[in-house]
Amino acid sequence: MKIFVKFDFNTLAKRVLEDQFGSLGAKYRMLNFGEIEFLEPARKQMLEEMEKRFANYGIEIIENQKTALVQKIKDAITAMVFSDEQINVKSSVYLSEKLGHSYGYLSNIFSEVTYSSVENFIILQKIEYAKQLLIVSQLSLTEIANKLNYSSVAHLSTQFKNTTGITPTQFQKIIRKRREIAIKK
């Protein structure tokens, strides 16, 4: 038997953090997503234990401000792309408004830390979301292209193929074939 699940990364990460901080007895408050302030000094032993526990979930503690800003950029992009609401502003405007810095500054920091561009990260996130939608939804390619703010299905298909090496239609066929095989087992 196979099931499909849909989940919100932000809610999931917040819940993991709350559970782990709570089990360690840490007094804290969340300022923004991914930004936590301790309300009393954290012992070195507690921080080490947190790092170990968080590593199990792919969460790491960041101390460098540039790396922290890049993580905020990634989080904002992920929230923008995976949003159920249609965001009708350019990604550069969205990021600038969301993070309170000029897009040029954000773009430079992102490139400096990741050796990649903000635009490339946005494309990767869009293609990941497109793959999820192709797997779990009944949306057509036109509906997916519209949902992800592509100008056309051709534009989505080109970026999909450049990123994955296959077209969305080929991807759908592979998924369909895997489901048929799973049903037969």
Side-chain angles (χ1 to χ4, degrees):
M1 183 174 117
K2 185 189 275 189
I3 63 167
F4 298 95
V5 295
K6 178 182 175 186
F7 50 89
D8 177 0
F9 293 105
N10 292 337
T11 303
L12 182 63
K14 185 178 177 185
R15 178 59 140 203
V16 166
L17 291 171
E18 288 171 350
D19 289 349
Q20 293 304 314
F21 280 126
S23 70
L24 289 167
K27 295 194 184 329
Y28 71 96
R29 68 179 173 156
M30 290 190 146
L31 302 174
N32 294 309
F33 183 77
E35 190 172 350
I36 292 118
E37 177 183 44
F38 288 103
L39 301 176
E40 54 189 37
R43 299 178 320 277
K44 184 179 181 201
Q45 183 181 1
M46 181 189 286
L47 289 173
E48 288 171 358
E49 180 63 23
M50 280 181 199
E51 282 192 35
K52 195 166 73 176
R53 288 182 180 197
F54 291 165
N56 292 330
Y57 298 98
I59 299 171
E60 62 182 282
I61 295 174
I62 302 170
E63 295 179 23
N64 177 314
Q65 281 188 320
K66 283 183 181 179
T67 306
L69 181 56
V70 167
Q71 188 58 50
K72 286 182 182 181
I73 295 167
K74 287 180 176 182
D75 293 341
I77 290 169
T78 303
M80 175 184 73
V81 170
F82 285 78
S83 174
D84 288 334
E85 299 173 17
Q86 193 82 4
I87 296 174
N88 295 320
V89 296
K90 288 184 171 185
S91 55
S92 57
V93 173
Y94 176 84
L95 291 171
S96 293
E97 289 177 356
K98 183 97 172 158
L99 300 173
H101 295 285
S102 75
Y103 180 72
Y105 176 75
L106 295 172
S107 179
N108 287 337
I109 294 290
F110 193 90
S111 297
E112 180 185 323
V113 172
T114 67
Y115 304 105
S116 184
S117 68
V118 169
E119 292 80 8
N120 190 52
F121 187 76
I122 292 170
I123 290 167
L124 292 173
Q125 293 306 304
K126 283 183 165 187
I127 298 308
E128 277 307 307
Y129 194 30
K131 289 191 310 189
Q132 284 184 21
L133 292 171
L134 288 168
I135 291 169
V136 300
S137 78
Q138 298 299 318
L139 297 176
S140 68
L141 285 177
T142 302
E143 292 168 321
I144 292 171
N146 288 335
K147 184 172 183 63
L148 295 173
N149 288 326
Y150 279 100
S151 56
S152 66
V153 172
H155 188 205
L156 166 62
S157 295
T158 300
Q159 284 191 345
F160 195 99
K161 182 161 185 170
N162 289 342
T163 303
T164 65
I166 60 175
T167 66
T169 305
Q170 291 169 321
F171 182 80
Q172 285 177 310
K173 286 179 184 174
I174 291 168
I175 297 303
R176 218 177 352 249
K177 193 76 156 169
R178 286 184 182 171
R179 286 183 180 153
E180 289 171 8
I181 292 169
I183 290 172
K184 290 178 183 177
K185 288 185 178 183

